[in-house]
Amino acid sequence: MSFFRRLRSPSVPPTVCVIAGDDAAPEVVRPTVEVLRVLVPGIRFVEAPGGSEALERYDDAFPDETRKAIDAADCTLFGASGGPSRPILWYLRWGKETFVNVRPVRWYPGYRSPMLHPERIDYVIIRDNLEGLYPPREGDIAELGALSSSRLWWQAPPIEKRGAYAVRVSTDGQMHRVALAACEVALQRQAAGYPGRVTLGAKYSILPRTDGRFRTIVAETVQTFPGLSYQEFLIDDLARRMIAAPETLDVVVLSNEHGDILADVASGSIGGLGLSPSACCGESYAYFEPVHGSAPDLAGKGVINPTAMLLSGAMMLAYLGYTEQAERLEHAIKQTYQDGTRLTCDQGGSTSTMEFVQAVVECGLDPL
């Protein structure tokens, strides 16, 4: 997708900051880097410390050295945060203002999907990456006393009770650029033979000032692209359609928290979190990470599925302009699943992480 392709000088090799992440994440990040080195030897990879490793060395989970490495790089390849690396993730998202999260959802033959017809699943989720309920803005419910003058009893906060509240933020500028990103991705997919259809999912029936405004902005933005079509569903109905009729979806645009939840539902529909990549893109920076978490229960066992990390690496290659190499990597992964003889335990096999990576290499890449 050229939406997240970095414009670069072909004479200047790109620099990628690598942050391995927590728990089992380094076990998929490091072999992925070796595969990417084979595909594009000119990329300069700089691994920066973070999380538990950085705490031990610097007494700081996010040392200045790592911040400088992120800022000096063209983009970042990130493992997953299990807690210690979270300040780094926060900086990559809000510090670098990577405003949109792009999550492809596509089933390949060999994926262990629970769906009867998984071949119908092939769409992209475009998620707001900066606003909504994240980052958390929370407090004691007594602080809402200023709103107690509401004439509607069902809108007045129950300040006489103990509890907490959270604030949900939606700005017009952010909603518009997320909508615009969805349209740009829809145009690119349309050029590749997809319908060019943008689907909004939101709770505009109950949240007219936030989701209702998002609905209006997305609909108006799509109308500025005559070749695209538009549809909208309440978020709960969209969740049902993702399971009952995924073939009706092309580009799905969602708020931050809705996208966070439904992207995991989408991953489950194709066969699990270990299969889903993502890119978080801004005007001048991007980072790439698998959708799954750090899998602390798998740390040190050498069995975590590297597919999501490898596909995230392919998305990074496309961002850097190495489209042919990205397609080679995607094809090799697809062939590995079609062959089906060396799959990880979450996909019904018994292959280790490194054995799976080697299988991918043998399906079309040069030897490691």
Side-chain angles (χ1 to χ4, degrees):
M1 298 175 189
S2 58
F3 163 69
F4 53 87
R5 178 177 299 165
R6 171 184 173 263
L7 297 177
R8 64 181 181 86
S9 169
S11 62
V12 180
T15 297
V16 174
C17 179
V18 178
I19 300 174
D22 303 317
D23 303 317
E27 298 174 39
V28 293
V29 171
R30 290 177 176 131
T32 294
V33 169
E34 294 309 309
V35 169
L36 298 176
R37 286 185 196 275
V38 168
L39 283 164
V40 187
I43 295 178
R44 179 173 176 258
F45 291 95
V46 177
E47 184 166 350
S52 300
E53 176 191 353
L55 279 171
E56 293 178 7
R57 289 174 55 186
Y58 301 94
D59 197 29
D60 185 353
F62 187 16
D64 289 342
E65 173 188 330
T66 299
R67 188 187 305 269
K68 291 176 181 177
I70 291 171
D71 291 344
D74 294 282
C75 62
T76 291
L77 190 66
F78 186 81
S81 172
S85 294
R86 192 160 295 157
I88 301 174
L89 191 59
W90 271 203
Y91 181 69
L92 287 168
R93 184 180 294 192
W94 288 284
K96 305 301 286 186
E97 203 171 347
T98 48
F99 65 87
V100 64
N101 184 201
V102 182
R103 296 190 174 190
V105 184
R106 184 179 184 183
W107 179 83
Y108 286 141
Y111 282 4
R112 198 179 187 188
S113 170
M115 304 284 281
L116 182 61
H117 295 290
E119 68 278 2
R120 299 175 181 174
I121 305 171
D122 189 353
Y123 57 92
V124 177
I125 289 176
I126 301 295
R127 168 196 172 198
D128 165 27
N129 209 38
L130 298 181
E131 295 185 343
L133 287 173
Y134 313 153
R137 304 167 185 88
E138 300 177 307
D140 190 282
I141 203 167
E143 298 171 7
L144 296 180
L147 300 180
S148 61
S149 61
S150 171
R151 297 179 181 179
L152 300 174
W153 64 268
W154 49 268
Q155 287 186 351
I159 57 175
E160 74 282 357
K161 298 180 181 180
R162 297 182 62 185
Y165 71 91
V167 175
R168 190 170 188 257
V169 175
S170 297
T171 64
D172 287 1
Q174 171 65 358
M175 288 186 284
H176 179 261
R177 61 182 180 175
V178 169
L180 186 61
C183 291
E184 291 178 355
V185 171
L187 286 173
Q188 293 152 21
R189 284 175 61 85
Q190 188 177 56
Y194 290 92
R197 180 187 304 118
V198 175
T199 301
L200 169 77
K203 199 67 174 180
Y204 43 80
S205 59
I206 303 298
L207 300 169
R209 298 292 296 275
T210 52
D211 275 19
R213 195 167 183 84
F214 190 33
R215 175 195 191 188
T216 298
I217 288 173
V218 172
E220 290 178 348
T221 303
V222 176
Q223 288 174 6
T224 66
F225 295 87
L228 299 181
S229 59
Y230 174 73
Q231 59 183 0
E232 59 186 33
F233 302 107
L234 291 172
I235 194 67
D236 34 359
D237 186 24
L238 176 63
R240 179 192 65 82
R241 291 171 185 272
M242 288 171 61
I243 302 303
E247 69 278 5
T248 65
L249 306 176
D250 183 16
V251 176
V252 179
V253 60
L254 300 168
S255 66
N256 204 334
E257 59 276 6
H258 288 157
D260 189 18
I261 295 166
L262 291 190
D264 282 6
V265 174
S267 297
S269 72
I270 64 171
L273 291 173
L275 305 173
S276 295
S278 78
C280 297
C281 306
E283 300 293 345
S284 59
Y285 203 82
Y287 69 95
F288 303 83
E289 63 174 344
V291 168
H292 63 70
S294 62
D297 56 320
L298 300 180
K301 297 180 180 179
V303 297
I304 183 173
N305 190 337
T307 301
M309 190 74 248
L310 288 165
L311 288 172
S312 297
M315 294 180 77
M316 187 190 76
L317 292 181
Y319 170 79
L320 293 172
Y322 299 109
T323 306
E324 181 182 347
Q325 291 89 335
E327 291 174 352
R328 283 182 61 198
L329 179 52
E330 292 174 3
H331 178 74
I333 293 168
K334 183 177 180 180
Q335 288 297 115
T336 302
Y337 276 96
Q338 285 181 333
D339 175 67
T341 59
R342 285 182 286 181
L343 303 180
T344 51
C345 56
D346 62 306
Q347 298 301 305
S350 58
T351 295
S352 70
T353 302
M354 290 305 300
E355 289 170 340
F356 180 89
V357 172
Q358 186 59 42
V360 171
V361 170
E362 293 174 3
C363 279
L365 309 182
D366 295 330
L368 288 176

